[in-house]
């Protein structure tokens, strides 16, 4: 995470990612993709996680592409309605996955569409996958 970028009130990873692991308390922690984590308090603008100190390891280690420096300062996931995360794919190599918060957001929401256009111009990215909200239908651009 760069010094300039912080999650702030963004909670898209708490909403879009699937988590299935044993928590730090030894209990199973399960959360489906495209469902808000039961420990996320969206009214808390300082950070929504109510179990931040004991959150699962995958939550601790997760960094979206925006936190890693992809996109501009205004391209934070809660503004674009897209969670972008990098992946090293066996078939494609370096790629970006665009997980839409709402169906069709990469086509209908200008900040998300602009971010997708920016991604298509990055030379080290071999493929881009747009994953539609809730249906998990993928469109891959190579």
């Amino acid at each position: 995470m760069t010094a300039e970028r912080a999650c702030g009130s963004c909670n898209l990873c708490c909403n879009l990612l699937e988590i299935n692991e044993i928590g730090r308390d030894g209990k199973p922690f399960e959360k489906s993709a495209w469902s808000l984590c039961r420990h996320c308090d969206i009214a808390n603008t300082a950070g929504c996680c109510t179990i931040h100190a004991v959150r699962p390891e995958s939550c601790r280690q997760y960094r979206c592409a925006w936190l890693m420096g992809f996109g501009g300062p205004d391209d934070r996931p809660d503004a674009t309605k897209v969670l972008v995360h990098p992946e090293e794919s066996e078939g494609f190599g370096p790629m970006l996955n665009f997980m839409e918060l709402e169906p069709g957001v990469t086509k209908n929401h200008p900040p998300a569409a602009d971010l997708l256009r920016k991604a298509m111009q990055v030379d080290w990215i071999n493929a881009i996958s747009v994953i539609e909200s809730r249906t998990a239908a993928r469109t891959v651009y190579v």
Side-chain angles (χ1 to χ4, degrees), residues 95-108:
M95 68 181 294
L96 291 177
N97 292 299
F98 278 62
M99 293 181 75
E100 297 182 327
L101 178 62
E102 302 165 0
V105 77
T106 52
K107 296 175 186 163
N108 305 321

Side-chain angles (χ1 to χ4, degrees), residues 6-10 12 64 66-67 70 72-82 115:
C7 300
S9 61
C10 181
L12 260 67
C64 70
W66 184 80
L67 284 175
F70 176 73
D74 296 331
D75 292 327
R76 196 168 84 171
D78 56 344
T80 61
K81 300 181 182 181
V82 174
L115 190 60

Side-chain angles (χ1 to χ4, degrees), residues 106-119:
T106 52
K107 296 175 186 163
N108 305 321
H109 184 57
D114 290 345
L115 190 60
L116 182 57
R117 277 192 290 281
K118 288 178 193 175

Side-chain angles (χ1 to χ4, degrees), residues 20-32:
N20 292 302
E21 66 183 72
I22 302 298
R24 293 179 147 232
D25 58 3
K27 298 177 183 174
F29 188 97
E30 296 181 2
K31 189 197 94 49
S32 301

Side-chain angles (χ1 to χ4, degrees), residues 13-136:
C13 62
C14 302
N15 195 330
L16 298 178
L17 298 178
E18 178 178 6
I19 301 173
N20 292 302
E21 66 183 72
I22 302 298
R24 293 179 147 232
D25 58 3
K27 298 177 183 174
F29 188 97
E30 296 181 2
K31 189 197 94 49
S32 301
W34 285 282
S35 66
L36 188 61
C37 177
R38 68 183 180 274
H39 300 291
C40 183
D41 176 4
I42 58 174
N44 184 357
T45 58
C48 72
C49 187
T50 61
I51 60 164
H52 194 266
V54 295
R55 69 195 185 278
E57 194 61 31
S58 58
C59 296
R60 279 178 191 284
Q61 294 183 8
Y62 184 75
R63 300 290 177 264
C64 70
W66 184 80
L67 284 175
M68 296 168 66
F70 176 73
D74 296 331
D75 292 327
R76 196 168 84 171
D78 56 344
T80 61
K81 300 181 182 181
V82 174
L83 181 67
V84 181
H85 61 232
E87 176 185 337
E88 187 66 32
S89 167
E90 287 184 29
F92 295 110
M95 68 181 294
L96 291 177
N97 292 299
F98 278 62
M99 293 181 75
E100 297 182 327
L101 178 62
E102 302 165 0
V105 77
T106 52
K107 296 175 186 163
N108 305 321
H109 184 57
D114 290 345
L115 190 60
L116 182 57
R117 277 192 290 281
K118 288 178 193 175
M120 290 181 176
Q121 297 171 3
V122 177
D123 60 359
W124 60 267
I125 298 171
N126 293 339
I128 297 169
S129 170
V130 176
I131 307 166
E132 292 182 14
S133 175
R134 291 178 179 71
T135 65

